[in-house]
């Protein structure tokens, strides 16, 4: 029976019953040709190894080596040497060791609680998880606060999935953004390149908590890019919208014809380069069959790029469409098929293209 090396208690399933100390299992071994068994001595199992007699080959000089291997430097045979005295540990000593181990283990378990108690008494109260979530949501827009004029006009608008620029498609302002209808699930990707801010929002009314369907006090300075993907419509309202700064001039789209790309059920991805495979321009991207991803990289000045990816689905009764997708020269576009049928994406020139200064 294995005993604890700390207090001498019995070890059961790799742990001391008395002090709880984990004890690795004892490894037993036998030499080649040996056999081993246990004897019960004073209530304990003692390993006894037995080496068979003979069996070794006769090698020149072996007998002399075997004889001298059993003789100590003093000249006496090691089997005839006096045995070491085995001392028995007193029971009182074991009790003391057990008590010390139990106290040590108790202190070890109590130290984290004592540390937390001390930390609470010397610092501000730790906020609850809901308070932490609200604080994190509030801090996400801190770098944009103060970038929008405090006064302006009222503005309301609905945006579906697509790519939009503040100052072109909607005025600069501080917004309340909410789902405009039921069965809405939209991912909102916000990038302010000038202020180095990139935020992801998930707004939904598909049976989730109502707090997931609205964001309040969202500052959107001019030049901020919004990429919406998903189903449904988002309603935007601002009381300080800079409507006078919206452009009034538009230009014809350089693209004049539709372009359609199909991945068969055996194709996984299709890579297209704008300027070679696709004409540069502004497109409405529609999935007319199958299921898959449409993704592209929008060049930026400070943040370098904005990665945009949308899951698209299409059948005879329903199609997903991304509005106002701007594809500039050398932009990489990727189509990825995630179905066992053909995945078809059609690019149609958007009606409105703003004049850039």
């Amino acid at each position: 029976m294995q005993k604890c090396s700390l207090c001498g208690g019995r070890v059961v399933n790799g742990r001391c019953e008395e002090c709880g100390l984990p004890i690795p299992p004892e490894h037993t071994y036998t030499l080649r040709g040996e056999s081993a068994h246990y004897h019960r001595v004073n209530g304990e199992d003692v390993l006894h190894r037995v080496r068979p007699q003979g069996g070794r080959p006769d090698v020149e000089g072996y007998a002399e080596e075997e004889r001298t291997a059993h003789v100590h430097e003093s000249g006496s045979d090691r089997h005839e040497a006096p045995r070491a005295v085995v001392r028995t540990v007193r029971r009182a000593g074991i009790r003391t060791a057990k008590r010390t181990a139990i106290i040590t283990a108790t202190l070890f378990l109590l130290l984290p609680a004592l540390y937390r108690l001390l930390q609470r008494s010397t610092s501000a109260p730790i906020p609850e998880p809901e308070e932490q979530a609200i604080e994190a949501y509030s801090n996400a827009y801190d770098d944009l606060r103060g970038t929008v004029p405090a006064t302006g006009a009222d503005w309301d608008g609905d945006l579906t999935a697509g790519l939009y620029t503040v100052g072109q498609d909607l005025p600069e302002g501080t917004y309340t953004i909410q789902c405009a209808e039921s069965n809405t699930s939209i991912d909102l990707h916000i990038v302010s390149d000038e202020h180095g801010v990139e935020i992801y929002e998930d707004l939904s009314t598909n049976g989730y908590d109502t707090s997931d369907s609205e964001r309040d006090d969202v500052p959107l300075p001019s030049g901020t890019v919004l990429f919406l993907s998903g189903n449904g419509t988002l309603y935007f309202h601002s009381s300080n919208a800079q409507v006078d700064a919206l452009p009034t001039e538009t230009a014809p789209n350089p693209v004049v014809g539709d372009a359609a790309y199909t991945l068969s059920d055996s194709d996984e991805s299709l890579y297209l380069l704008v300027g070679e495979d696709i004409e540069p321009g502004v497109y409405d991207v529609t999935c007319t069959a199958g299921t898959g991803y449409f993704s592209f990289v929008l060049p930026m000045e400070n943040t370098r790029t904005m990665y945009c990816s949308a899951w698209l689905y299409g059948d005879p009764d329903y199609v997903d469409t991304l509005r106002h997708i701007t594809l500039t020269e050398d932009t990489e576009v990727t189509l990825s098929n995630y179905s066992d049928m053909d995945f078809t994406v059609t690019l149609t020139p958007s009606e409105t293209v703003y004049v850039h200064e």
Side-chain angles (χ1 to χ4, degrees), residues 259-263 284-294 310-323 335-339 341-348:
Y261 300 92
T262 299
L263 278 75
D284 291 344
V285 180
T286 302
C287 176
T288 57
T291 303
Y293 275 105
F294 175 86
W311 174 269
L312 299 180
Y313 172 82
D315 62 23
D317 300 320
Y318 175 85
V319 294
D320 280 327
T321 299
L322 299 173
R323 306 290 181 186
L335 303 178
S336 302
N337 192 359
Y338 278 81
S339 65
M341 58 185 295
D342 292 350
F343 176 48
T344 303
V345 174
T346 301
L347 286 77
T348 304

Side-chain angles (χ1 to χ4, degrees), residues 120-188:
R120 288 180 180 177
S121 63
T122 58
S123 61
I126 300 176
E128 296 297 324
E130 292 183 0
E131 296 176 0
Q132 290 178 340
I134 294 173
E135 182 181 358
Y137 162 68
S138 176
N139 291 339
Y141 296 98
D142 280 352
D143 291 336
L144 296 180
R145 301 195 193 283
T147 61
V148 178
T151 59
D154 287 338
W155 187 88
D156 300 271
D158 292 333
L159 298 180
T160 58
L163 186 70
Y164 304 92
T165 302
V166 177
Q168 284 186 174
D169 304 291
L170 68 163
E172 179 180 26
T174 301
Y175 283 87
T176 295
I177 307 172
Q178 60 187 21
C179 296
E181 53 195 0
S182 60
N183 297 323
T184 296
S185 179
I186 288 188
D187 293 329
L188 173 58

